[in-house]
Amino acid sequence: MRLIIGITALTLAIPAFAGDGITVTMHSVDREGVGDAVGEVEITHNKHGLVITPALEGLPLGLHGFHLHEHASCAPLEKAGKVTPAGAAGGHYDPEGSGEHGTPWGDGHRGDLPALFVDANGNAEYPVLAPRLNLKDLDGRALMVHAGGDNHSDHPEALGGGGARIYCGVIEK
């Protein structure tokens, strides 16, 4: 938890460059498809990477897995008789083919972002820093918020244990 608070404090101290931002509208997602807008995420670039600032509401209190996914779609996907909300977004962005879930600042998928913190009112407003990403990495991708937290490991559960996809936004530049 201290690490997350430290990263959040660092991102608040890093000035973003105006004019280079991208705004992503986030929507609720479920087995039926894409639902209502639930807020926006502003993404800016600076010398330390991407600063991703959410303005989301309606989430359960606590930490939530947050990732950049490989495809620009939030549509559900049926595979082997099972429907995955926002499954058409594919997996975590992994251009190096690491095949491992990891930390935002180390090895593993480049789409592995710091977890989102949601306050007691259901709002996610604290920025996170993605030091291994740049604005070019966002083209043709989607942002995803998961129901559960993220331990940035494939153990004891795959992909950090974040679980179901609950919010998704297609990145349009």
Side-chain angles (χ1 to χ4, degrees):
M1 185 64 150
R2 278 192 238 162
L3 180 59
I4 292 168
I5 292 170
I7 291 171
T8 300
L10 175 63
T11 61
L12 293 173
I14 301 170
F17 297 121
D20 286 341
I22 295 171
T23 300
V24 181
T25 301
M26 300 292 288
H27 295 267
S28 62
V29 293
D30 61 23
R31 295 170 42 92
E32 303 300 315
V34 179
D36 294 332
V38 293
E40 296 180 333
V41 174
E42 183 72 27
I43 305 171
T44 55
H45 183 266
N46 67 29
K47 66 182 181 177
H48 301 286
L50 295 182
V51 177
I52 304 170
T53 307
L56 303 174
E57 54 188 40
L59 286 159
L61 172 67
L63 294 176
H64 292 269
F66 191 36
H67 305 102
L68 179 66
H69 281 247
E70 53 190 347
H71 305 298
S73 177
C74 293
L77 183 68
E78 183 178 348
K79 188 175 184 181
K82 181 181 178 194
V83 177
T84 300
H92 300 174
Y93 178 57
D94 189 19
E96 288 84 19
S98 73
E100 295 181 23
H101 189 64
T103 61
W105 48 88
D107 296 331
H109 310 136
R110 261 201 280 158
D112 296 335
L113 304 175
L116 284 185
F117 173 75
V118 177
D119 66 23
N121 296 318
N123 299 316
E125 299 173 338
Y126 296 101
V128 299
L129 179 66
R132 298 189 303 148
L133 293 174
N134 61 59
L135 290 172
K136 288 185 266 180
D137 291 318
L138 303 179
D139 201 21
R141 314 270 175 244
L143 282 177
M144 196 74 62
V145 178
H146 294 266
D150 188 340
N151 69 359
H152 300 291
S153 172
D154 281 322
H155 304 286
E157 293 182 53
L159 302 174
R165 300 168 183 208
I166 57 173
Y167 285 3
C168 180
V170 172
I171 299 170
E172 298 175 1
K173 293 172 82 175

